[in-house]
């Protein structure tokens, strides 16, 4: 993974983040080792079951990211600080990235377990709707450009979208259970996950969480940079007007 | 508060009933969707009862978005939104007035469409279960719909932005309303319909309250 | 091993994971560099105009 370009004079200020960066790389390496070598092959699902170690953490990050959007949106509306708006935007983008990963890896795993690329299972469907909501959120932001109004509107969508998630899940759950359920092993509901598998999963979740915070910081820095450019533009405009 | 919301509602109703342009367009459009579905799905081959509720709600959803898109356009075009905001009116009263207006417009359109729907799809037994299904579904639709319409009208791509934002969050309402309508035409037993009605009640309560509280943040500055 | 359909699914999943993460880091990096260049040129302009 490439280290992000940090201006030399600022390099020291971001030192804690480079620690997170190295920790992420280390933990991701450990996850790969665990997923391919340490964890035993599942007796029923074969080696494709190893997708589990990236699918579950991706889904976890997707939900963590939209939760952060929700909290940051509320805090933005209350405090009106650009900080929370930038956090919300950065987290929403990561949310879309990891929702996409959860959907794609879920689809590949589902191909093995269910024999189909896609089933309208409750969890899958909720995640798909989540993806749609946050893609809409990013579309709203990109058509509106940077302004306090954009930040306010985006915060509203971020709050409504998150409150909706449990209701969506409930509705999709009932909607599916009224149909004949396919005879499958539902991911995550394996009755007894062997301890070695569980250990790898825990490491993977921690690794992905570190990755999330590292990426969030990198994405956030992009926004501060853009803020700085807007500021310079204003100054330049001011200097020209004089 | 309520009186002020009523005032806004009355203003909108009066303008609309004088011109009737939005109502006519909505009713026409929902009928159009019903007819297009008749061509898209061969009703001699599929069970009408199974697909009819879904078709009905697709038609309401499209017609509803058409109406919602116009909610704040009049004010926007004549810069009357500033006028509305300068009035000594709580912002939330504006939401309530607009929300009730949207519910009423949609219900009028639904009342016009449903008889044609029964006729065109040759449905024999339509029970009174249709009334709560339409009411609860429409309230849920208009709750977030009115809030998001106020956002979308301020964007460059307003007509596109509204459905993009709205349809995903309305997924639970669409599912529940379709199921509850299925009960009204007899494809679902009553004990299966109750959870869906409850879900719509929860959705409506949550989002009317949240939208009401949050609406002030849209009309700032 | 290679004729096991599970192998290709597993392979695809991990490849996509790393491509997406790598691609995202790459675009972040590029956007950051572009912005830095812009900051640089703007502050130079500013310095020139204030002189």
């Amino acid at each position: 993974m490439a280290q992000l370009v940090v201006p030399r004079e600022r390099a020291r200020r971001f030192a804690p983040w480079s620690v997170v960066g190295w920790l992420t790389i280390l933990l991701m390496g450990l996850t790969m080792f665990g997923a391919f070598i340490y964890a035993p092959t599942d007796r029923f699902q074969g080696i494709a079951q190893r997708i589990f170690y990236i699918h579950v953490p991706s889904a976890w990050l997707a939900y963590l990211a939209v939760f952060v959007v929700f909290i940051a949106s509320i805090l933005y509306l209350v405090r009106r600080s650009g900080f929370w708006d930038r956090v919300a935007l950065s987290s929403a983008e990561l949310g879309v990235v990891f929702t996409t990963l959860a959907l794609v890896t879920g689809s590949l795993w589902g191909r093995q377990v269910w024999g189909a690329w896609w089933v309208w299972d409750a969890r899958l469907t909720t995640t798909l709707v989540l993806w749609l909501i946050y893609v809409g959120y990013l579309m709203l932001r990109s058509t509106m450009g940077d302004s306090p109004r954009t930040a306010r509107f985006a915060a509203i969508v971020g709050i409504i979208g998150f409150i909706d998630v449990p209701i969506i899940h409930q509705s999709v759950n009932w909607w599916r259970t009224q149909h004949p359920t396919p005879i499958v092993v539902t991911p995550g509901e394996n009755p007894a996950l062997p301890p070695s598998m569980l250990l790898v999963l825990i490491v993977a979740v921690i690794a992905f969480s570190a990755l999330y915070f590292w990426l969030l910081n990198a994405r956030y820095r992009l926004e501060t940079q853009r803020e700085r450019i807007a500021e310079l533009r204003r100054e330049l405009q001011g200097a020209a007007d004089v | 508060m309520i009186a002020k919301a009523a005032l806004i509602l009355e203003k909108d109703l009066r303008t609309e009933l004088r011109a009737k342009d939005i109502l006519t367009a909505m009713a026409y459009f929902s009928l159009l969707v019903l007819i297009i579905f008749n061509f898209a799905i061969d009703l001699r081959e599929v069970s009408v009862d199974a697909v009819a509720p879904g078709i009905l709600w697709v038609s309401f959803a499209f017609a509803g978005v058409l109406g919602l898109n116009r909610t704040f356009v009049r004010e926007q075009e004549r810069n009357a939104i500033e006028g509305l905001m300068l009035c000594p009116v709580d912002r939330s009263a504006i939401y309530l007035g607009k929300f009730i207006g949207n519910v009423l417009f949609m219900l009028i359109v639904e009342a016009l469409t449903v008889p044609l729907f029964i006729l065109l799809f040759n449905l024999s037994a339509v029970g009174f279960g249709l009334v709560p299904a339409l009411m609860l579904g429409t309230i849920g639709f208009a709750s977030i719909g009115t809030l998001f319409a106020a956002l979308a009208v301020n964007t460059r791509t307003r007509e596109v932005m509204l459905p993009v934002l709205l349809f995903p969050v309305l997924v639970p309402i669409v599912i529940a309303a379709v199921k509850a309508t299925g009960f009204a035409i007899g494809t679902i037993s009553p004990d299966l319909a109750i959870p869906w009605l409850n879900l719509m009640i929860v959705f409506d309560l949550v989002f009317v309250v949240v939208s009401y509280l949050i609406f002030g943040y849209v009309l700032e500055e | 091993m290679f004729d096991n359909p599970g192998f290709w699914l597993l392979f695809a999943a991990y490849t996509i994971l790393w491509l997406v993460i790598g691609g995202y880091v790459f675009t972040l990096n590029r956007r950051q560099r572009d912005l830095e260049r812009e900051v640089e040129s703007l502050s130079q302009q500013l310095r020139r105009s204030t002189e």
Side-chain angles (χ1 to χ4, degrees):
Chain A
M1 250 181 284
Q3 194 64 38
L4 287 169
V5 181
V6 177
R8 238 169 248 124
E9 66 274 19
R10 283 207 213 150
R12 269 184 46 200
R13 240 172 73 199
F14 291 113
W17 286 107
S18 71
V19 173
V20 176
W22 286 112
L23 196 69
T24 305
I25 293 170
L26 182 77
L27 284 167
M28 288 302 279
L30 206 60
T31 304
M32 292 304 119
F33 170 78
F36 285 112
I37 298 162
Y38 177 71
T41 303
D42 189 273
R43 215 175 321 143
F44 304 105
Q45 298 180 31
I47 56 172
Q49 184 270 341
R50 292 175 194 274
I51 295 173
F52 173 71
Y53 306 113
I54 54 171
H55 171 71
V56 174
S58 297
W60 145 249
L61 276 203
Y63 285 89
L64 174 70
V66 301
F67 179 66
V68 170
V69 175
F70 174 64
I71 298 294
S73 299
I74 293 176
L75 287 172
Y76 174 75
L77 289 182
V78 176
R79 300 256 175 87
R80 297 308 163 99
S81 81
F83 171 78
W84 289 114
D85 180 50
R86 292 192 286 271
V87 169
L89 167 59
S90 309
S91 191
E93 204 176 285
L94 288 175
V96 170
V97 170
F98 283 99
T99 311
T100 310
L101 278 175
L103 288 172
V104 171
T105 54
S107 169
L108 289 165
W109 187 15
R111 176 72 210 173
Q112 177 77 14
V113 184
W114 293 317
W117 294 110
W118 184 264
V119 275
W120 292 94
D121 159 78
R123 283 203 194 95
L124 253 64
T125 310
T126 309
T127 309
L128 179 65
V129 176
L130 193 76
W131 187 86
L132 290 171
I133 293 176
Y134 289 89
V135 168
Y137 173 98
L138 293 180
M139 281 167 76
L140 176 73
R141 295 200 74 128
S142 78
T143 64
M144 286 185 73
D146 291 328
S147 75
R149 182 192 262 175
T150 309
R152 266 179 8 241
F153 285 13
I156 291 171
V157 177
I159 292 169
I160 297 278
F162 186 79
I163 296 174
D164 209 23
V165 170
I167 306 181
I168 294 171
H169 186 80
Q170 187 58 61
S171 66
V172 189
N173 212 359
W174 281 344
W175 169 62
R176 270 300 92 155
T177 46
Q178 294 201 342
H179 285 248
T181 39
I183 305 156
V184 290
V185 188
T186 316
E189 279 177 9
N190 296 359
L193 200 63
S196 58
M197 286 186 175
L198 188 65
L199 181 68
V200 177
L201 181 67
I202 291 169
V203 171
V205 166
I206 296 170
F208 273 66
S209 305
L211 178 68
Y212 167 77
F213 286 107
W214 185 62
L215 287 174
L216 188 69
N217 175 56
R219 182 65 186 81
Y220 176 86
R221 280 220 314 277
L222 219 62
E223 286 308 304
T224 50
Q225 201 81 323
R226 290 187 35 210
E227 201 88 330
R228 173 104 187 88
I229 287 173
E231 214 172 88
L232 282 172
R233 283 244 162 82
R234 274 196 298 274
E235 275 178 42
L236 211 57
Q237 194 66 40
D241 287 346
V242 169
Chain B
M1 170 85 226
I2 304 257
K4 279 164 183 164
L7 224 61
I8 290 166
L9 175 64
E10 196 203 327
K11 172 195 78 85
D12 283 350
L13 283 183
R14 196 171 313 132
T15 3
E16 182 48 42
L17 291 179
R18 206 182 301 138
K20 293 192 195 66
D21 50 353
I22 300 173
L23 268 180
T24 321
M26 282 168 77
Y28 171 80
F29 193 71
S30 72
L31 175 66
L32 201 62
V33 173
L34 288 185
I35 292 170
I36 287 172
F37 262 109
N38 264 301
F39 299 130
I41 299 170
D42 194 338
L43 292 174
R44 290 168 307 184
E45 283 169 23
V46 295
S47 147
V48 180
D49 288 352
V51 294
I55 293 171
L56 187 68
W57 277 96
V58 168
S59 117
F60 290 162
F62 287 165
V65 162
L66 219 60
L68 287 173
N69 255 326
R70 306 300 299 175
T71 315
F72 294 96
V73 167
R74 244 185 223 128
E75 281 86 353
Q76 185 82 3
E77 277 169 356
R78 298 182 199 157
N79 281 331
I81 208 126
E82 277 87 8
L84 213 71
M85 278 161 61
L86 287 174
C87 295
V89 173
D90 194 355
R91 305 271 146 82
S92 308
I94 301 178
Y95 172 76
L96 269 192
K98 292 288 185 183
F99 161 68
I100 296 169
N102 279 329
V103 170
L104 284 180
F105 286 153
M106 278 187 73
L107 285 177
I108 293 171
V109 170
E110 285 163 16
L112 294 172
T113 312
V114 164
L116 290 167
F117 165 72
I118 295 170
L119 199 97
L120 287 172
F121 286 80
N122 289 311
L123 297 173
S124 44
V126 178
F128 282 102
L130 195 61
V131 176
L134 291 182
M135 288 288 289
L136 291 171
T138 305
I139 290 171
F141 193 90
S143 64
I144 305 183
T146 307
L147 177 71
F148 280 6
L151 300 188
V153 78
N154 285 299
T155 62
R156 257 184 302 128
T157 50
R158 51 165 93 126
E159 280 81 8
V160 186
M161 216 55 237
L162 181 61
V164 163
L165 294 176
L166 188 59
F167 283 153
V169 295
L170 286 182
V171 163
I173 271 292
V174 171
I175 297 176
V178 167
K179 291 290 177 183
T181 307
F183 158 67
I185 65 169
T187 51
I188 288 178
S189 66
D191 55 311
L192 284 179
I194 298 293
W196 293 112
L197 293 173
N198 288 338
L199 186 104
M200 283 200 279
I201 292 170
V202 170
F203 186 100
D204 293 2
L205 280 176
V206 167
F207 284 111
V208 168
V209 171
V210 171
S211 305
Y212 173 84
L213 292 176
I214 221 172
F215 189 76
Y217 293 110
V218 181
L219 300 180
E220 256 175 30
E221 78 215 22
Chain C
M1 184 178 184
F2 294 104
D3 42 85
N4 178 355
F7 170 80
W8 291 108
L9 294 171
L10 184 67
F11 178 77
Y14 278 79
T15 309
I16 289 167
L17 174 84
W18 286 111
L19 281 181
V20 168
I21 294 175
Y24 189 67
V25 170
F26 178 77
T27 55
L28 280 183
N29 220 338
R30 214 193 47 211
R31 279 150 89 185
Q32 181 79 18
R33 214 178 38 226
D34 291 352
L35 290 175
E36 241 141 56
R37 256 184 225 141
E38 211 175 333
V39 168
E40 198 59 37
S41 83
L42 280 173
S43 36
Q44 255 172 22
Q45 273 180 40
L46 195 65
R47 238 174 285 137
R48 244 180 285 133
S49 68
T50 48
E51 265 163 20

